[in-house]
Amino acid sequence: MKTCANCQTSLPPEARFCHQCGALQLSSLKPATATPTWDWEAPLVQQAFARFQERLNERVACEQDETQLPQYQERLYESNYRETVQRRLLQWEESLTISPHQTEQQRHLRELRHLCDDLLDFFFIIHCADINKIVLPQVLLRYQQLPVQEVDLGEMALAFLDFEHEEERLYTDFVKMPVNKIRNAGKAFLFPEREEKIWFICDQSLLGNAKKGFAMTEKALYWKSGLQAAQRVYYHKLFALSKEKEWLLINELYFNASPSLNTKMIWLLRRLSRLLRADL
């Protein structure tokens, strides 16, 4: 037997998640792949394009169908989007003020990561709609360059998750939501702070009683999946987001809504973390 580091529950040696609190058991994680080193004396655009290709591979594996990766790579060249990417990377290079200070260098690489994600967002939505396993609405692109003070985050969350194309029981009007369901969600997984604005509650319980599902507020994502314990992650404290088979790991906690909602949740949390400076 082994013990969960989060809640001290005894678990079988092969357990990947704690059945009590839902925490991922770190001993089950695969060794992290080291980030390639960056040489500020070498050609920067060439290195930046290599980073872009690595990010493309990562995101296809995490968000779409990994077996379709060759089609995405071919589409990058067939669509001539490769030239657009290299032009934008050249603009990024020309904007740099090369500094020996590590903090400044890290800032430049963070900007590069954000640029790669923005370019890939456009690539997936505009050039790869016929390849994508999960449909992504074009409205997501409108949020790319907006600062947080110009964004209605609740409206953005609903746009990213695109519930109109999901078979879920969704509540955004809590005056019309049955009182017993609000009470059940509040007892089961939704524990907001006083005055914390709730954007929506998604009821995923089999009986429609709102005892399982997820909700988002102006501060955090709250959820209860399957037999797991209720969980909460604040957007500004996001530090890890990945896909493991058909479910997500959010700060190493199990989350599973549906295949399509999981992918759209990755996009949404990545955008929220960037807007709120979690810098995922």
Side-chain angles (χ1 to χ4, degrees), residues 137-230:
Q138 292 190 22
V139 68
L140 307 190
L141 297 176
R142 79 165 60 157
Y143 295 99
Q144 276 199 349
Q145 306 300 326
L146 294 178
V148 65
Q149 60 269 21
E150 296 181 18
V151 179
D152 182 325
L153 296 180
E155 181 181 284
M156 185 186 79
L158 291 171
F160 270 66
L161 297 177
D162 191 25
F163 281 106
E164 292 182 3
H165 295 92
E166 299 288 342
E167 297 180 0
E168 304 292 345
R169 290 182 294 269
L170 183 74
Y171 298 96
T172 57
D173 186 339
F174 306 113
V175 174
K176 295 181 179 180
M177 184 176 180
V179 174
N180 65 313
K181 293 189 178 186
I182 296 177
R183 185 181 300 114
N184 287 342
K187 291 180 179 179
F189 63 90
L190 180 55
F191 313 115
E193 301 172 5
R194 184 181 295 274
E195 305 301 324
E196 185 174 343
K197 183 180 179 182
I198 300 171
W199 293 339
F200 66 81
I201 298 174
C202 181
D203 175 13
Q204 294 193 302
S205 60
L206 292 176
L207 300 178
N209 55 22
K211 292 184 178 181
K212 293 181 182 178
F214 65 99
M216 298 188 78
T217 74
E218 60 186 337
K219 294 183 179 181
L221 167 66
Y222 298 79
W223 75 93
K224 180 173 173 56
S225 298
L227 299 176
Q228 307 293 331

Side-chain angles (χ1 to χ4, degrees), residues 5-269:
N6 185 53
C7 70
Q8 310 307 312
T9 299
S10 295
L11 302 171
E14 68 276 10
R16 303 197 65 236
F17 297 93
C18 174
H19 59 75
Q20 180 64 32
C21 71
L24 175 69
Q25 302 307 295
L26 297 182
S27 60
S28 68
L29 284 173
K30 299 175 183 177
T33 303
T35 302
T37 57
W38 185 272
D39 184 357
W40 290 100
E41 301 299 324
L44 299 185
V45 172
Q46 182 177 346
Q47 294 181 82
F49 188 70
R51 287 283 177 95
F52 173 84
Q53 291 179 304
E54 291 164 4
R55 187 60 174 151
L56 169 62
N57 297 350
E58 291 172 0
R59 289 189 55 178
V60 169
C62 183
E63 301 166 15
Q64 298 293 339
D65 181 354
E66 189 173 13
T67 64
Q68 298 297 311
L69 179 58
Q71 282 80 354
Y72 284 94
Q73 293 170 330
E74 289 175 10
R75 185 63 56 85
L76 180 63
Y77 288 83
E78 292 173 354
S79 65
N80 295 322
Y81 193 63
R82 179 176 181 272
E83 286 72 19
T84 298
V85 171
Q86 291 185 319
R87 184 167 62 252
R88 292 288 301 279
L89 295 177
L90 179 59
Q91 291 172 352
W92 167 78
E93 179 190 35
E94 292 173 344
S95 71
L96 299 182
T97 302
I98 304 302
S99 168
H101 299 294
Q102 187 175 13
T103 301
E104 190 70 10
Q105 293 176 354
Q106 289 175 343
R107 183 177 67 82
H108 291 325
L109 293 178
R110 183 170 61 251
E111 291 171 352
L112 174 60
R113 185 173 70 251
H114 291 167
L115 173 58
C116 287
D117 272 334
D118 285 348
L119 289 167
L120 284 169
D121 287 352
F122 188 91
F123 177 64
F124 286 130
I125 291 175
I126 301 301
H127 293 286
C128 301
D130 60 321
I131 306 175
N132 294 337
K133 181 178 180 181
I134 306 300
V135 176
L136 300 162
Q138 292 190 22
V139 68
L140 307 190
L141 297 176
R142 79 165 60 157
Y143 295 99
Q144 276 199 349
Q145 306 300 326
L146 294 178
V148 65
Q149 60 269 21
E150 296 181 18
V151 179
D152 182 325
L153 296 180
E155 181 181 284
M156 185 186 79
L158 291 171
F160 270 66
L161 297 177
D162 191 25
F163 281 106
E164 292 182 3
H165 295 92
E166 299 288 342
E167 297 180 0
E168 304 292 345
R169 290 182 294 269
L170 183 74
Y171 298 96
T172 57
D173 186 339
F174 306 113
V175 174
K176 295 181 179 180
M177 184 176 180
V179 174
N180 65 313
K181 293 189 178 186
I182 296 177
R183 185 181 300 114
N184 287 342
K187 291 180 179 179
F189 63 90
L190 180 55
F191 313 115
E193 301 172 5
R194 184 181 295 274
E195 305 301 324
E196 185 174 343
K197 183 180 179 182
I198 300 171
W199 293 339
F200 66 81
I201 298 174
C202 181
D203 175 13
Q204 294 193 302
S205 60
L206 292 176
L207 300 178
N209 55 22
K211 292 184 178 181
K212 293 181 182 178
F214 65 99
M216 298 188 78
T217 74
E218 60 186 337
K219 294 183 179 181
L221 167 66
Y222 298 79
W223 75 93
K224 180 173 173 56
S225 298
L227 299 176
Q228 307 293 331
Q231 303 292 352
R232 174 182 63 190
V233 169
Y234 288 101
Y235 310 132
H236 71 284
K237 292 184 178 180
L238 279 165
F239 63 82
L241 178 63
S242 63
K243 182 180 177 183
E244 183 77 11
K245 295 184 179 179
E246 294 302 321
W247 60 81
L248 302 185
L249 296 178
I250 303 174
N251 283 9
E252 299 171 357
L253 298 170
Y254 176 93
F255 175 92
N256 190 18
S258 71
S260 58
L261 277 173
N262 288 349
T263 289
K264 290 185 282 190
M265 184 62 77
I266 290 174
W267 278 57
L268 173 58
L269 292 179

